[in-house]
Amino acid sequence: MRTANLLCRSIGFVVILIVLSSLAHAQVIAIKAGKLVDPETGTVATNQIIIVENSKIKSVGPGTAIPAGATVIDLSRSTVLPGLFDCHSHLCQMTTAENRDLFTTDIKQSTAYRAIIGVKTAREYLDSGFTTVRDVGNNALYADTSLRNAVENGIVPGPTIVNAGRIIAPFGGQYYLRPERVELGSPEYFFADTRDEMLKAIRENIHFGSLVIKIVVDDQRYIYSVDDIKFIVEEARRAGLKVAAHCMTEQGARNAAEGGVASIEHGFRMSDEALQLAKKNNVVLVGTDFTVEAAGYLGLDAATSKYFHDTFIDRLKRAYRIGVTMAYGTDTFFEAAGHTRGTLAISYIDSFVEAGIPAKDTLKIMTTNAAQLLGVEKQRGSIKTGMFADIIATPENPLDNIQTLKRVSFVMKNGKVVRSSATL
Ligand SMILES: [Zn+2]
């Protein structure tokens, strides 16, 4: 009797397994792509079929047979391309029209509130076609790690997140504190001036889920030296993490480039010599090239916004001419009228258009280069067999008209359709 019972249960278990595995196999999607862009080469293939099984791309080609039972998504009138990247996001930070001041915004909002902001911005990024973002800090006490976990566990929608945790900086970080209230610099910034403090800051970040180390090099009159940066880069490297360096000054950017960071953020005052040094040392520039409109949301007046923007455009032109590797990053942390975080982030392509950068290079900056900087190039950033199915579609070919990226009509992340517009 017992044996029979056991046998019955085992058979039942096997049946359940078969049903589950057939359900898993049933998750096959065939995408008909009218045009398929390869941003790495800047080329287009026509009438391609992409087979997506579970989360990954199983095959791509012109004559691929569509398996029986596959769900067919017809994008034959659209252009299909890999999902976009923003390498400089602040998912859990948002200044508003009522208060553009970062310090008071940061200290008023709890980590929990910041995480809720992140839920909103992550969804908005994904909706606009950004399937991967690097979050470079300013998330109170690791709200970014919680947000990343929630996305990875399917609790909330969002892009793949490579997060920095707490920003490591010389005393004061990006604030100007009062001597009586030094503690207000924390948790937003992890002050680290000595080597022991740097070591502790890096290790604590990694322990609490950081996947990249973010440092502020030069927002105070004392800045991280080349040796400081080399020390940080080496300690991060030992744990397999790269370093992103916020640089406002020429000297800060030079120190970062010599110190071996993976990327210089902003770098808007970099001279040609500093850009050449970055190029020589394979440092990627994440330029955060503000549009005039975006600069206005920093609380700058019209003339200053224009000057700020022009400085970025001038450096963007020079960086392109010199041939520094660039990756797209926006530094959007503000509420902007009529924009979601996603539409705001995509609006920065206007700066690339203004700087005269060809569409094929802008697209590479938004995909291929970004994937390499984030170290995910073997998983994301192109539509090839074995890659995660991070796929978007636009009405026009972005190689002909980059502005079409503002009208993303279809978004798939990890093989799941996130958005599919009726206008396909
Ligand atoms: Zn930033």
Side-chain angles (χ1 to χ4, degrees):
M1 193 64 187
R2 246 190 174 179
T3 319
N5 223 338
L6 211 66
L7 194 67
C8 267
R9 275 202 205 162
S10 304
I11 291 168
F13 184 62
V14 170
V15 168
I16 289 168
L17 271 184
I18 291 168
V19 170
L20 279 177
S21 72
S22 69
L23 273 178
H25 283 133
Q27 189 61 34
V28 176
I29 298 174
I31 299 173
K32 291 183 177 177
K35 287 180 181 151
L36 178 63
V37 175
D38 178 358
E40 192 176 357
T41 56
T43 54
V44 181
T46 52
N47 299 323
Q48 301 288 298
I49 308 261
I50 307 162
I51 304 294
V52 175
E53 191 169 302
N54 298 324
S55 57
K56 292 192 172 172
I57 296 165
K58 200 181 174 201
S59 64
V60 192
T64 311
I66 296 177
T71 304
V72 177
I73 296 174
D74 188 0
L75 299 173
S76 55
R77 289 163 61 200
S78 303
T79 300
V80 175
L81 62 151
L84 307 172
F85 288 62
D86 185 342
C87 300
H88 193 117
S89 70
H90 295 285
L91 293 164
C92 303
Q93 191 176 43
M94 190 188 286
T95 55
T96 63
E98 290 74 44
N99 182 17
R100 294 287 178 206
D101 179 56
L102 264 176
F103 175 65
T104 48
T105 302
D106 289 344
I107 62 172
K108 278 179 184 168
Q109 298 174 346
S110 68
T111 300
Y113 188 80
R114 303 285 287 278
I116 293 166
I117 291 173
V119 169
K120 176 179 159 64
T121 57
R123 189 182 56 227
E124 291 175 351
Y125 259 116
L126 189 59
D127 222 38
S128 286
F130 290 94
T131 51
T132 311
V133 303
R134 188 177 61 164
D135 185 298
V136 286
N138 291 124
N139 300 292
L141 212 45
Y142 304 103
D144 52 336
T145 300
S146 297
L147 177 64
R148 173 167 65 76
N149 289 336
V151 170
E152 288 174 1
N153 293 332
I155 295 169
V156 296
T160 297
I161 300 168
V162 176
N163 64 309
R166 291 176 67 196
I167 298 172
I168 300 170
F171 180 79
Q174 296 184 264
Y175 293 155
Y176 297 92
L177 300 165
R178 285 165 48 198
E180 297 85 354
R181 302 302 304 274
V182 167
E183 75 281 5
L184 291 179
S186 178
E188 212 61 34
Y189 295 92
F190 205 135
F191 300 158
D193 294 284
T194 67
R195 295 291 155 86
D196 283 351
E197 287 166 351
M198 291 171 194
L199 208 65
K200 189 170 172 20
I202 293 166
R203 291 181 180 182
E204 191 170 311
N205 259 297
I206 297 171
H207 183 81
F208 290 119
S210 302
L211 299 179
V212 59
I213 295 298
K214 165 79 177 298
I215 58 171
V216 163
V217 173
D218 55 358
D219 268 15
Q220 305 290 343
R221 278 180 291 171
Y222 39 87
I223 72 175
Y224 278 147
S225 67
V226 175
D227 284 344
D228 288 335
I229 295 168
K230 280 186 176 164
F231 179 81
I232 290 168
V233 167
E234 178 55 22
E235 179 61 21
R237 191 197 59 77
R238 270 199 284 269
L241 274 67
K242 296 185 180 188
V243 174
H246 162 109
C247 301
M248 300 298 275
T249 64
E250 168 77 0
Q251 191 60 52
R254 282 176 184 247
N255 288 2
E258 268 184 57
V261 301
S263 64
I264 288 176
E265 312 296 306
H266 319 300
F268 62 98
R269 293 198 186 93
M270 287 171 83
S271 66
D272 286 0
E273 291 72 30
L275 290 166
Q276 263 143 5
L277 184 63
K279 181 186 176 184
K280 183 169 129 272
N281 291 354
N282 296 317
V283 177
V284 177
L285 175 64
V286 179
T288 67
D289 304 282
F290 277 78
T291 61
V292 179
E293 186 198 5
Y297 292 117
L298 298 174
L300 306 173
D301 62 44
T304 315
S305 295
K306 176 78 169 64
Y307 173 76
F308 191 60
H309 165 72
D310 289 347
T311 310
F312 275 102
I313 295 294
D314 172 62
R315 196 273 287 108
L316 183 52
K317 283 181 183 167
R318 290 185 291 109
Y320 181 73
R321 179 169 43 76
I322 288 166
V324 182
T325 302
M326 290 190 272
Y328 196 73
T330 64
D331 199 22
T332 43
F333 56 81
F334 31 88
E335 197 175 53
H339 278 294
T340 70
R341 190 61 67 89
T343 64
L344 187 63
I346 202 73
S347 73
Y348 281 51
I349 58 175
D350 290 350
S351 293
F352 287 77
V353 171
E354 188 180 337
I357 297 177
K360 76 170 175 43
D361 293 314
T362 304
L363 195 58
K364 198 172 170 188
I365 285 166
M366 299 178 84
T367 52
T368 316
N369 294 0
Q372 279 168 357
L373 172 61
L374 271 53
V376 299
E377 73 277 12
K378 291 197 174 79
Q379 293 100 45
R380 303 177 195 280
S382 64
I383 298 180
K384 291 187 180 131
T385 304
M387 306 288 281
F388 280 99
D390 290 352
I391 297 169
I392 64 170
T394 48
E396 291 176 65
N397 179 353
L399 296 175
D400 299 333
N401 176 17
I402 197 80
Q403 297 287 352
T404 197
L405 294 179
K406 293 178 182 168
R407 296 168 58 212
V408 166
S409 54
F410 172 85
V411 182
M412 170 182 274
K413 187 206 153 197
N414 282 357
K416 287 206 172 67
V417 177
V418 177
R419 196 158 89 76
S420 185
S421 146
T423 58
L424 290 176

